[in-house]
Amino acid sequence: MLAEEKVHTLINAHSQADNFRLAALHRYHILDTPACEDFSFLTELATKVCEVPYAFISLVDADRVWIKSCAGMHMGELPRGESYCSLAVLGDAATEIPDLRLDPRTTTMRLTVSAPFMRMYSSVALTSSDGFAIGTLCVLDTKPGGLSADKRAMLVKLARQVMALIELRANEKTLSATVRELELLATTDDLTGLHNRRSLLHRLKFETARAKRFRAPLSAVMIDLDHFKKVNDDHGHAVGDQVLTALGRLLRDNVRVIDIPGRYGGEELCVILPNTPLDGACKFAEALRAKIEAQVHYAGTRPLHITASLGVGSFDHMEIDDADGLLRQADTALYRAKHGGRNRVECGTT
């Protein structure tokens, strides 16, 4: 009974260790990535340094061994049970099998018994920064034998370069993802998912300059939710936030790729419409007003209907020819809409 318990303990320990190793491998996000010249160069260099015809950079996954790069033959992946490299990540940092046909672990493996009939295998583990063997740099030959001490030392150095390259690529991906996340945080309103005020005004400056240069049409729609303070007062700010979140989603779903929807402040939103003259912007605003009115929100189980007033401004390249003038015209139109009965659209100035 004690012997069985020891066996189970060893199996569980090995399984847990492999889970940690797999976690380390997956952190690098390298599996199934496209071929890369830098990795190809290192495998080709390994064949020349070790004077053998074949070299692989292999990553050992849960049930397969994926080949990042190979020299001497083309291979994408192998079942884990058919790969010499699956043995190499289990123990020593360096593994050498002088004759694969004579080793009971490898004598029936695919590459041993079929072309090109491998005989010699020598590898160095690719070790992650936290000490786990995620794969190998290996060299192979169709003749039995082994590497000299000098060649093995060079293979160890090349394996370090492979791992350094894997680390570099992972760090570049992490940096890119971090930059994208920071850009998103800097430009996006958390509640609505729209551009925040700073980003909206920045983009408006760009579109204004472009419109002036090419004398292109440019419009802006200001949107203000009617009686929104009453929603917060009667149902709480959580319900008010839900309304703003839903409205942000509605805007994102109903603008073009070139349009710029943003949260201007509080319950006031704004959509910048490049290449859109006044009449087109007014049609957009009226369609949006109707969709906002049709949208159903809930305060608990109680349905809640919200309306909005909208004001539209547009470049005329005479009196209205800058960002401030455009927003001022849209805001003036919005004021007329709110004081003319609400839930309506006003366009331009009168």
Side-chain angles (χ1 to χ4, degrees):
M1 195 67 178
L2 288 175
E4 289 182 4
E5 289 178 358
K6 287 181 180 180
V7 169
H8 285 304
T9 300
L10 288 172
I11 291 173
N12 290 335
H14 174 72
S15 176
Q16 186 177 26
D18 199 50
N19 287 337
F20 288 138
R21 189 193 65 76
L22 289 171
L25 168 63
H26 293 160
R27 280 199 299 271
Y28 289 104
H29 301 288
I30 189 174
L31 293 173
D32 301 310
T33 54
C36 174
E37 187 175 339
D38 292 337
F39 286 101
S40 298
F41 169 75
L42 290 171
T43 50
E44 290 170 7
L45 185 58
T47 61
K48 288 178 171 57
V49 166
C50 297
E51 297 180 305
V52 294
Y54 306 102
F56 297 160
I57 294 173
S58 304
L59 288 309
V60 182
D61 202 1
D63 55 5
R64 61 171 179 157
V65 174
W66 182 72
I67 313 298
K68 174 61 180 174
S69 176
C70 55
M73 64 183 298
H74 176 75
M75 182 170 295
E77 63 180 56
L78 285 167
R80 185 165 171 174
E82 289 291 336
S83 173
Y84 313 130
C85 297
S86 61
L87 304 172
V89 299
L90 298 179
D92 297 335
T95 300
E96 188 164 87
I97 303 175
D99 193 333
L100 294 162
R101 290 193 305 182
L102 301 180
D103 191 306
R105 300 171 300 173
T106 60
T107 186
T108 60
M109 284 189 179
R110 183 184 304 178
L111 293 180
T112 307
V113 299
S114 60
F117 303 102
M118 298 296 187
R119 296 287 296 276
M120 187 277 290
Y121 171 83
S122 187
S123 70
V124 176
L126 302 174
T127 305
S128 67
S129 56
D130 47 355
F132 293 100
I134 63 171
T136 71
L137 170 63
C138 65
V139 293
L140 304 98
D141 202 344
T142 53
K143 298 180 293 186
L147 298 182
S148 67
D150 289 344
K151 290 177 181 177
R152 173 153 290 281
M154 288 300 297
L155 190 64
V156 169
K157 291 178 181 178
L158 285 175
R160 289 177 187 154
Q161 292 302 310
V162 172
M163 197 63 224
L165 187 56
I166 292 173
E167 296 273 4
L168 176 63
R169 293 289 184 267
N171 289 339
E172 288 174 346
K173 288 182 180 179
T174 300
L175 180 60
S176 295
T178 301
V179 169
R180 287 194 299 271
E181 184 177 354
L182 290 173
E183 288 176 348
L184 189 64
L185 289 172
T187 61
T188 306
D189 176 67
D190 288 341
L191 190 60
T192 62
L194 306 174
H195 288 269
N196 59 27
R197 182 187 178 96
R198 178 174 176 273
S199 177
L200 179 75
L201 295 178
H202 177 75
R203 293 288 301 274
L204 176 58
K205 286 182 179 179
F206 172 82
E207 291 299 335
T208 299
R210 193 184 66 82
K212 291 173 72 173
R213 179 178 179 182
F214 298 105
R215 294 194 65 80
L218 176 66
S219 297
V221 178
M222 299 292 288
I223 308 156
D224 190 76
L225 297 183
D226 299 329
H227 308 294
F228 189 71
K229 183 178 183 299
K230 184 173 172 56
V231 174
N232 284 328
D233 291 344
D234 291 352
H235 305 290
H237 287 279
V239 173
D241 287 350
Q242 290 173 19
V243 170
L244 287 172
T245 299
L247 183 57
R249 189 181 308 114
L250 179 68
L251 256 65
R252 294 197 306 273
D253 290 343
N254 286 277
V255 296
R256 302 167 301 176
V257 173
I258 63 171
D259 297 335
I260 308 158
R263 187 178 183 186
Y264 194 68
E267 69 272 22
E268 196 169 50
L269 308 175
C270 179
V271 183
I272 308 301
L273 301 169
N275 295 326
T276 306
L278 180 61
D279 59 343
C282 291
K283 289 177 183 176
F284 166 82
E286 180 55 41
L288 184 61
R289 183 206 61 76
K291 289 178 180 178
I292 293 172
E293 184 180 21
Q295 197 173 37
V296 181
H297 310 273
Y298 289 91
T301 58
R302 179 183 171 187
L304 189 65
H305 294 273
I306 303 294
T307 62
S309 301
L310 297 87
V312 182
S314 188
F315 259 34
D316 60 14
H317 295 284
M318 291 181 292
E319 293 181 5
I320 310 299
D321 67 347
D322 61 21
D324 290 340
L326 179 65
L327 292 179
R328 188 162 50 247
Q329 186 189 55
D331 198 50
T332 299
L334 175 63
Y335 179 84
R336 294 201 313 274
K338 292 191 74 68
H339 289 79
R342 301 180 186 269
N343 190 25
R344 57 186 291 174
V345 174
E346 287 285 341
C347 296
T349 57
T350 57

